Amino acid sequence: MDLIIGQKVSYPNHGVCAIESVDSKQINGGSVEFYLLRVLANNSVIFVPKLNADSVGIRPVISSLQCSELMKRLSEDFIETANDWKIRVRDYSAMIQTGNIFESAQVLKQLTFLTYSKQLSFREQRLFEKARFLVISELAVACSEKECEIEKKVDALLAEACQKHLTEKVQVVSSFAN
């Protein structure tokens, strides 16, 4: 994949970055080209070898069409995961590390639901915050809206998904009772 200077990309676990330049550096006697990425959230810089960009999970920010799809999915019901927090942390960490924003949104949705019934473990809380940051920051860029506006929309969509999930659970329990 060839990325261009000025393009916004998503870097797994760091969020949205802007490609500032393509630089060459001498390494072991050879010239290696690097993308210089500026992380928008904290203004830090990351150098990524061009040849490794795909393998580390760098991808263009989602399109406006995908933005609408992600918002739609945020409001949908979901399947609950493991009861053991250690298994959830392992599974959620793996989902976030894929760099797939739809997977991060799934993590956010499931952890949001858990916050309604109990306090999250320290690790779950960190994953919740990471997923929330990744989803909101990418949606803000993709939808060309302020993060505070996207945050309100995401919160409303998550509340809707949690309500659907509760309704589904009640229907399942009542069908077993009959």
Side-chain angles (χ1 to χ4, degrees), residues 81-92:
T81 58
N83 286 329
D84 186 346
W85 70 268
K86 292 173 278 192
I87 294 170
R88 283 194 306 266
V89 165
R90 182 197 64 207
D91 293 347
Y92 293 158

Side-chain angles (χ1 to χ4, degrees), residues 74-77 116 155-165:
L74 279 171
S75 69
E76 294 174 348
D77 192 10
Y116 290 150
D155 288 343
L157 294 169
L158 291 170
E160 186 179 335
C162 291
Q163 186 60 47
K164 286 177 183 176
H165 190 69

Side-chain angles (χ1 to χ4, degrees), residues 2-172:
D2 246 357
L3 304 171
I4 57 173
I5 295 172
Q7 184 177 4
K8 301 274 191 313
V9 295
S10 177
Y11 187 82
N13 278 327
H14 293 281
V16 179
C17 302
I19 299 176
E20 286 197 346
S21 66
V22 178
D23 298 335
S24 291
K25 295 188 182 282
Q26 294 295 335
I27 298 180
N28 293 334
S31 180
V32 178
E33 286 191 312
F34 286 85
Y35 289 116
L36 185 144
L37 305 178
R38 175 78 57 186
V39 181
L40 299 183
N42 61 17
N43 215 27
S44 62
V45 173
I46 303 171
F47 284 95
V48 178
K50 275 183 88 171
L51 295 174
N52 294 357
D54 284 336
S55 64
V56 298
I58 294 174
R59 61 169 175 76
V61 169
I62 60 174
S63 67
S64 57
L65 184 61
Q66 290 171 310
C67 181
S68 299
E69 176 63 22
L70 182 57
M71 296 283 238
K72 179 179 161 257
R73 286 193 194 180
L74 279 171
S75 69
E76 294 174 348
D77 192 10
F78 54 92
I79 298 169
E80 285 189 56
T81 58
N83 286 329
D84 186 346
W85 70 268
K86 292 173 278 192
I87 294 170
R88 283 194 306 266
V89 165
R90 182 197 64 207
D91 293 347
Y92 293 158
S93 293
M95 290 170 76
I96 288 174
Q97 288 172 358
T98 66
N100 182 324
I101 193 66
F102 292 93
E103 299 249 337
S104 294
Q106 189 67 22
V107 170
L108 176 60
K109 194 167 21 173
Q110 291 176 344
L111 286 174
T112 298
F113 182 75
L114 280 178
T115 64
Y116 290 150
S117 60
K118 65 182 200 139
Q119 185 173 355
L120 299 178
S121 71
F122 175 77
R123 288 183 182 163
E124 285 175 314
Q125 183 64 37
R126 296 226 10 204
L127 287 170
F128 171 77
E129 291 165 3
K130 173 67 78 174
R132 186 171 175 78
F133 160 73
L134 293 171
V135 169
I136 289 172
S137 62
E138 187 157 351
L139 279 172
V141 170
C143 299
S144 300
E145 292 186 40
K146 293 181 181 180
E147 282 192 21
C148 60
E149 295 301 318
I150 289 294
E151 192 171 6
K152 290 176 191 172
K153 289 179 182 179
V154 166
D155 288 343
L157 294 169
L158 291 170
E160 186 179 335
C162 291
Q163 186 60 47
K164 286 177 183 176
H165 190 69
L166 281 173
T167 303
E168 182 65 30
K169 282 179 80 168
V170 168
Q171 289 174 353
V172 168

